[in-house]
Amino acid sequence: MKESERNHRTAEAEPKPLEEPKHETKKLKNLSEYAQTLQLGWNGLLVLKNSCFPTSMHILEGDQGVLTGLLKDHTSGSKLTQLKIAQRLRLDQPKLDEVTRRIKQGSPNGYAVLLATQATPSGPGTEGMPTVEPGLQRRLLRNLVSYLKQKQAAGVISLPVGGSKGRDSTGMLYAFPPCDFSQQYLQSALRTLGKLEEEHMVIVIVRDTA
């Protein structure tokens, strides 16, 4: 009898841990709030032509070490504060397949996927946000997203910035506007929020394999 009572009691107690997170997730209103539940990977300025876009990137999956290794100034060794988009990758299936192949090749610790959202001036993770260089115009991230959507392309940055020296690892950063490819990494956010209305990008960083 005692045994069955104990079983009954544990069966009753089991669902509770599942219920609590549900209650928590309801409070998240948008992607920026969802991003705050993830680990901050990088914050700084994305630069395109003469515009710069204050951006926060939070890790969706992959390895933090890829960011530490590739998002640094190779001359000083310090963290990069701005990333300049110099190339574009058309959102064609063969090109996307190539990115997917590179991610698989880089798994588990040679890649990272991040959610990029507008950095708010005083929000968490904006400590040390760089000052804007003369000649650059500060704009909202949604303007960059619109531009890439219109071009049907992802922004591409070769890493490390300024080229590699010696045995430094090299890699690529791809900045995807909302598209089928990027949404596959946001299924958890979609389940949590119900819809992804806010402008955002999915950033894929892959380390070159030897």
Side-chain angles (χ1 to χ4, degrees):
M1 182 63 191
K2 277 179 186 168
E3 189 60 38
S4 64
E5 268 177 23
R6 201 179 298 125
N7 287 348
H8 183 63
R9 220 172 281 134
T10 50
E12 267 182 3
E14 265 168 18
K16 278 191 178 143
L18 295 174
E19 280 162 21
E20 282 162 25
K22 266 187 204 160
H23 176 63
E24 287 296 305
T25 52
K26 274 190 181 138
K27 293 178 192 162
L28 300 173
K29 293 187 207 67
N30 54 38
L31 263 180
S32 289
E33 288 186 12
Y34 178 81
Q36 299 306 328
T37 68
L38 306 170
Q39 185 187 349
L40 181 69
W42 184 84
N43 64 299
L45 301 171
L46 283 177
V47 178
L48 179 73
K49 297 175 184 168
N50 54 3
S51 297
C52 66
F53 309 88
T55 307
S56 293
M57 299 182 192
H58 290 79
I59 299 173
L60 290 164
E61 61 178 73
D63 185 11
Q64 167 85 37
V66 174
L67 311 182
T68 320
L70 290 174
L71 297 184
K72 65 176 183 190
D73 184 321
H74 80 107
T75 44
S76 66
S78 58
K79 182 181 91 92
L80 283 173
T81 53
Q82 65 175 43
L83 290 166
K84 190 165 191 168
I85 295 172
Q87 299 161 278
R88 293 199 306 260
L89 176 88
R90 276 194 66 77
L91 298 177
D92 296 335
Q93 202 52 52
K95 302 260 173 55
L96 297 175
D97 290 345
E98 175 63 16
V99 176
T100 304
R101 188 185 67 76
R102 292 190 67 175
I103 290 171
K104 284 193 177 129
Q105 217 171 10
S107 297
N109 52 9
Y111 84 106
V113 180
L114 304 102
L115 169 62
T117 51
Q118 173 70 43
T120 49
S122 57
T126 49
E127 303 80 21
M129 188 60 83
T131 51
V132 176
E133 286 176 15
L136 282 180
Q137 184 191 357
R138 185 191 287 262
R139 300 178 70 194
L140 293 174
L141 185 68
R142 68 163 182 255
N143 294 306
L144 177 57
V145 174
S146 303
Y147 171 82
L148 290 171
K149 268 187 185 168
Q150 185 192 334
K151 296 287 182 189
Q152 294 188 312
V156 179
I157 301 168
S158 293
L159 299 171
V161 171
S164 62
K165 56 169 191 194
R167 291 203 301 270
D168 282 359
S169 59
T170 58
M172 297 294 265
L173 179 151
Y174 303 94
F176 289 94
C179 59
D180 290 345
F181 180 84
S182 67
Q183 297 310 294
Q184 67 184 319
Y185 296 105
L186 292 172
Q187 291 308 306
S188 170
L190 188 58
R191 279 195 298 275
T192 303
L193 298 168
K195 54 187 180 296
L196 306 176
E197 289 182 326
E198 195 178 347
E199 293 293 12
H200 63 278
M201 293 196 299
V202 166
I203 307 291
V204 174
I205 300 176
V206 279
R207 191 185 281 138
D208 292 331
T209 48

